[in-house]
Amino acid sequence: YLKRYSARINTLFNIKDNIRVGENLYVFNKQNPSFTNQNEGNAISYSYRESPIIPIYDIMGNYAGTHSQGLGNSQNPVANQLRAQNNKSNDWQMSGNAFAEVDFLKHFTVRTSIGGTVDNYYYYYFNYTQYENAENNTNPNTFGEGGGYNSQLTWTNTLTYKQTFGKHDVKFLLGTEANTYYGRQIAGTRSGYFITNSSNLTVDPNLWTLGFGPASSQTNTDNGGVYQSSLYSQFGRLDYSYNDRYLLSGVLRRDGSSRFAPGHQYGYFPSFTAGWRISNESFFPVTSWLNELKIRGGWGKLGSINNINATNPYNLYSLNAANAGYDIAGVNSGTIGVGAYASQNGNTNTTWEQDIITNIGFDAGFFQNKLQLSFDWYKKQISGLLFQPATSDFGGGASPAYVNVGDIGNTGIDASLAYHGNVSKDLSFDANLTFTTYDNKVKDLGDTKYITRNNSGSSRIGAFTRLQTGEAVGAFYGYVQDGLFQNWADVNKSAKQGDAAPGRFKFKDVSGPDGKPDGIIDDNDRAFFGNPNPKFTTGLNLGVNFKNFDFSTFLYASVGNDVINYVRYWTDFPQVFEGAVSKDAVYNSAKLVDNSGQATYYQNPEAHISNPGAKVPLLERSANFSNTTNFNSYYMEDGSYLRMKSLIVGYSIPASVLSRYKIDKFRIYLQATNLFTITNYTGLDPELSASDFGDNMNFGIDLGNYPANQKVYTVGVNVTF
């Protein structure tokens, strides 16, 4: 569930004709239980993995699980969710700003604005002993709680000059902006709590405090932390228009960030745009079908610090007995001294990541602007990409600093086509179609050949992605599956592959050390085989108004994006952890027979697949190179989809009825979101995001994703007085 209470207020006061003050404020409080997502241990993943022969409760009314041998290591997802029902996560947030504006000397306006966000949060949770599972808790009955706050303050001051000289319109703005960020957090845990309710083996939530835990348990509060950073900007902007035909705008920013070392803190970021409204020229032909035409273009350089933390320039050391404990008094003395260890390597040369954007486009209006077309071609070049390089096996445990490692390029088009029609005085409609493409490529990584990142699933079968020059960011990298070995003759004539046998994966012989197929399947045969970036996305907005009724809908489609369905690692290979097996693996996996048609084992020289069209490999007990121990294209699926994002039907009471009650507008509506999704993806939801991993290299990977795009029905009323 989610409980949220919010309030918003906006005010504007005209003190005099030339003086204005105002504010906007938004506050909310929300409460919801915390649960994990996109990992091997969430409820969705366990729902797939738990064997269907295991009930929710055993015959004694206790939770049932995988404690018995041969049932794998999954957990009872219902038990986990019910045990977490009293876990709470609370958040109180306030954001807004106050401003003042003064007009003077006819053409000048000075404005000051100060605002920001203050966020306070507090949470607590209880991890019960999972007696029913094969892997029980190491620390039984553990309680934890924590809290903290985040704050962000922005102070902006601008001076604006506006003037018209005949056909010349000029607007000039100068400004400064200062941002500060600060936050703290702390957490504590204690284990070994006593059971207070023997009937269901729980601890009374009223006793969930750190002080209630046993005195012999160690309270752990080493999760405290603090962060702070600041940003200071100076900027200027010039807008110029001649006779509403020739348009020019230019911006220059000087941004400085405390996240970089002195000497690298400031960056200069210029940009400009230009437009020509051809339809306002005297030579533009007056036609009944084309009435407006404008061409435009722009170039700009923006600075980015999104990936970098405030301590990046510094070498950091931490105190931790697990990483740097030493028996100072002697071997097995029982006294361990806590030492310091290098936890982060700093880099003082890191500086701004630069996004260089170029675009060229046009806008056109047809048939008295009933039909409007907009088209843009763009190119985005990320220069000095902020990224953590791969660590050496001999580099120790310190995390590497972010460095400016290379360049990434994106090119594509943005287009929209809108039509506004009136069938009669009571019936009108609007349609807006958008279309976007982009081609993403890594242009340069400097001296780095490639960069890999493990996520929470790839630790078992290797990294899913590789950042490499010439390839897309997030591109999937591994062995390319070339079907299944049909028989031993197929094995013998194919490239030499470890653990090759009928019914197992056959991998493509991509290349040897010289770049050509060499008849051996090894690390050199891994290749890029998929791309989580869509080839294009498109959306359609439709709106219809009939008398006092209104109807609107929004359809969205993503086409050409690949998805890694990692859940299949658990459900298609029972040798992994002996959990649930998918229906596809049971009925459509490779079946081996001998020459007489009798079921046989892969070691039989006569063994061959009786169902040559099988996609799922042979069900077996062993885990080896040719089935489950490496990442390959078997897990990839087409993630394209079409989704109805929104459907709204509304009715407005006629103004003639409302006027007697001094009401300007009264509208009641029914809204439905995510009514349907059309896709060939076999998982719960093909719409995944990189934020699930906190890593901009790993996205489009389904580890058991909670389907956030659920059907929602809303009834609402809009009233204006």
Side-chain angles (χ1 to χ4, degrees):
Y1 67 86
L2 168 66
K3 295 180 181 178
R4 180 169 57 203
Y5 307 90
S6 62
R8 184 188 303 274
I9 182 171
N10 302 290
T11 57
L12 176 65
F13 299 96
N14 295 304
I15 298 177
K16 291 185 177 181
D17 291 341
N18 65 325
I19 301 176
R20 297 168 297 278
V21 296
E23 57 76 35
N24 63 78
L25 180 67
Y26 175 64
V27 295
F28 72 79
N29 164 240
K30 67 178 181 179
Q31 181 185 93
N32 65 306
S34 301
F35 64 94
T36 61
N37 191 38
Q38 278 289 52
N39 57 40
E40 296 179 356
N42 66 51
I44 297 298
S45 179
Y46 283 141
S47 297
Y48 278 112
R49 295 168 52 188
E50 184 90 331
S51 174
I53 70 171
I54 301 175
I56 297 176
Y57 301 97
D58 62 21
I59 59 175
M60 299 300 294
N62 299 314
Y63 292 124
T66 56
H67 188 69
S68 298
Q69 290 187 347
L71 295 178
N73 76 328
S74 181
Q75 298 179 11
N76 186 329
V78 176
N80 288 354
Q81 294 298 91
L82 289 175
R83 283 168 170 157
Q85 63 182 319
N86 292 311
N87 295 348
K88 294 294 188 295
S89 175
N90 302 273
D91 192 21
W92 299 264
Q93 189 175 116
M94 178 175 63
S95 61
N97 72 78
F99 66 90
E101 292 181 338
V102 178
D103 302 326
F104 64 99
L105 298 179
K106 293 184 179 180
H107 306 294
F108 291 90
T109 300
V110 63
R111 176 187 172 96
T112 185
S113 171
I114 188 167
T117 299
V118 176
D119 176 47
N120 289 272
Y121 62 91
Y122 172 76
Y123 63 89
Y124 56 86
Y125 61 90
F126 200 98
N127 288 332
Y128 287 93
T129 302
Q130 298 171 343
Y131 54 82
E132 73 279 3
N133 294 326
E135 298 177 359
N136 294 321
N137 284 354
T138 303
N139 296 318
N141 290 342
T142 300
F143 171 69
E145 64 180 329
Y149 72 93
N150 303 300
S151 64
Q152 178 263 327
L153 179 66
T154 301
W155 186 26
T156 306
N157 297 280
T158 60
L159 174 66
T160 304
Y161 170 79
K162 292 190 293 185
Q163 177 65 294
T164 299
F165 306 94
K167 297 181 179 180
H168 305 273
D169 287 321
V170 177
K171 180 180 178 180
F172 185 65
L173 178 145
L174 287 175
T176 64
E177 185 172 271
N179 291 271
T180 60
Y181 307 88
Y182 186 80
R184 300 187 72 95
Q185 62 90 17
I186 192 171
T189 60
R190 176 165 280 187
S191 61
Y193 284 67
F194 297 108
I195 297 298
T196 57
N197 188 335
S198 59
S199 62
N200 56 11
L201 301 181
T202 62
V203 176
D204 188 342
N206 292 320
L207 301 176
W208 286 6
T209 67
L210 290 175
F212 180 74
S216 59
S217 174
Q218 180 181 2
T219 301
N220 179 356
T221 57
D222 63 356
N223 289 327
V226 61
Y227 74 88
Q228 58 183 336
S229 65
S230 59
L231 177 70
Y232 179 68
S233 302
Q234 300 164 318
F235 51 88
R237 173 169 180 155
L238 173 65
D239 295 312
Y240 171 78
S241 170
Y242 174 75
N243 200 23
D244 201 26
R245 298 178 187 176
Y246 311 110
L247 312 172
L248 180 66
S249 179
V251 176
L252 177 63
R253 296 184 61 92
R254 180 179 183 262
D255 295 323
S257 173
S258 66
R259 302 187 187 189
F260 304 117
H264 300 279
Q265 293 178 324
Y266 284 90
Y268 292 85
F269 306 104
S271 63
F272 70 87
T273 60
W276 180 20
R277 188 170 282 113
I278 303 176
S279 52
N280 283 2
E281 296 286 358
S282 58
F283 60 79
F284 185 80
V286 179
T287 65
S288 60
W289 62 273
L290 177 63
N291 54 279
E292 185 173 333
L293 180 62
K294 174 185 176 182
I295 60 174
R296 49 187 164 71
W299 179 93
K301 182 185 294 186
L302 305 175
S304 175
I305 55 175
N306 289 336
N307 290 337
I308 194 170
N309 57 55
T311 62
N312 191 74
Y314 311 107
N315 295 324
L316 300 183
Y317 297 86
S318 298
L319 300 175
N320 190 303
N323 292 66
Y326 189 77
D327 189 358
I328 298 177
V331 178
N332 296 325
S333 68
T335 302
I336 302 297
V338 178
Y341 70 97
S343 58
Q344 174 182 292
N345 293 323
N347 190 301
T348 57
N349 294 319
T350 306
T351 188
W352 288 84
E353 177 180 296
Q354 298 182 4
D355 298 346
I356 304 172
I357 303 172
T358 305
N359 75 287
I360 300 173
F362 68 88
D363 302 310
F366 306 90
F367 311 112
Q368 281 69 51
N369 282 332
K370 290 184 177 180
L371 180 65
Q372 295 175 319
L373 172 64
S374 179
F375 180 90
D376 279 276
W377 171 89
Y378 69 88
K379 177 180 179 181
K380 179 179 179 180
Q381 184 80 16
I382 301 176
S383 177
L385 175 71
L386 288 172
F387 215 89
Q388 284 180 298
T391 57
S392 168
D393 292 337
F394 306 99
S399 62
Y402 281 83
V403 297
N404 301 100
V405 73
D407 301 333
I408 292 177
N410 296 315
T411 58
I413 61 172
D414 282 327
S416 65
L417 183 65
Y419 186 81
H420 313 282
N422 291 286
V423 179
S424 66
K425 68 175 184 177
D426 294 326
L427 178 61
S428 62
F429 66 91
D430 297 277
N432 189 354
L433 177 67
T434 61
F435 182 83
T436 299
T437 71
Y438 70 93
D439 181 30
N440 173 273
K441 287 288 187 297
V442 178
K443 300 296 185 180
D444 180 44
L445 288 178
D447 296 331
T448 303
K449 185 177 180 180
Y450 60 83
I451 298 174
T452 59
R453 284 283 187 276
N454 284 332
N455 57 54
S456 56
S458 61
S459 60
R460 300 185 186 276
I461 56 177
F464 295 167
T465 62
R466 172 178 283 191
L467 194 69
Q468 182 171 309
T469 302
E471 303 295 336
V473 175
F476 304 133
Y477 181 85
Y479 293 97
V480 181
Q481 185 211 355
D482 193 17
L484 305 176
F485 288 111
Q486 300 296 302
N487 48 49
W488 280 105
D490 189 12
V491 173
N492 295 330
K493 72 179 181 181
S494 301
K496 184 178 179 181
Q497 178 177 316
D499 303 307
R504 292 177 177 170
F505 287 137
K506 180 200 295 186
F507 299 132
K508 282 187 177 182
D509 185 8
V510 176
S511 68
D514 59 354
K516 299 179 181 179
D518 60 356
I520 300 175
I521 302 298
D522 55 21
D523 282 352
N524 295 313
D525 293 290
R526 291 181 297 169
F528 291 94
F529 57 75
N531 189 345
N533 300 288
K535 293 180 180 177
F536 68 87
T537 59
T538 183
L540 177 62
N541 271 297
L542 294 174
V544 177
N545 290 278
F546 176 69
K547 294 186 176 179
N548 294 318
F549 291 93
D550 60 89
F551 165 87
S552 63
T553 185
F554 175 52
L555 299 169
Y556 178 82
S558 176
V559 179
N561 54 297
D562 297 317
V563 173
I564 296 300
N565 189 350
Y566 181 73
V567 173
R568 297 172 66 182
Y569 172 77
W570 305 97
T571 61
D572 290 3
F573 302 100
Q575 65 268 50
V576 172
F577 279 103
E578 299 181 312
V581 180
S582 68
K583 182 178 179 180
D584 199 34
V586 173
Y587 293 101
N588 301 317
S589 59
K591 307 296 189 297
L592 296 185
V593 296
D594 58 20
N595 289 340
S596 65
Q598 298 297 312
T600 187
Y601 195 46
Y602 72 87
Q603 290 179 333
N604 187 337
E606 297 179 353
H608 63 276
I609 295 179
S610 61
N611 50 340
K615 303 296 184 183
V616 183
L618 177 72
L619 293 184
E620 53 182 326
R621 287 295 210 184
S622 64
N624 54 62
F625 178 82
S626 291
N627 53 31
T628 65
T629 61
N630 60 73
F631 177 61
N632 61 77
S633 60
Y634 173 76
Y635 303 97
M636 187 177 72
E637 299 184 30
D638 181 10
S640 303
Y641 64 91
L642 170 66
R643 172 168 287 149
M644 177 177 278
K645 290 279 193 178
S646 175
L647 176 67
I648 304 174
V649 178
Y651 176 76
S652 298
I653 298 177
S656 57
V657 177
L658 297 176
S659 59
R660 70 187 69 172
Y661 303 104
K662 298 182 179 180
I663 298 176
D664 296 329
K665 182 178 180 180
F666 191 102
R667 175 177 174 266
I668 185 171
Y669 66 92
L670 172 65
Q671 179 176 0
T673 59
N674 303 310
L675 273 182
F676 66 81
T677 301
I678 300 174
T679 182
N680 290 324
Y681 180 59
T682 61
L684 292 180
D685 191 347
E687 190 172 352
L688 307 168
S689 65
S691 61
D692 298 325
F693 301 96
D695 187 334
N696 52 14
M697 271 184 61
N698 288 287
F699 54 98
I701 302 171
D702 188 352
L703 297 176
N705 179 54
Y706 185 85
N709 298 286
Q710 299 184 58
K711 294 182 178 66
V712 178
Y713 301 94
T714 305
V715 176
V717 175
N718 300 130
V719 183
T720 303
F721 298 93

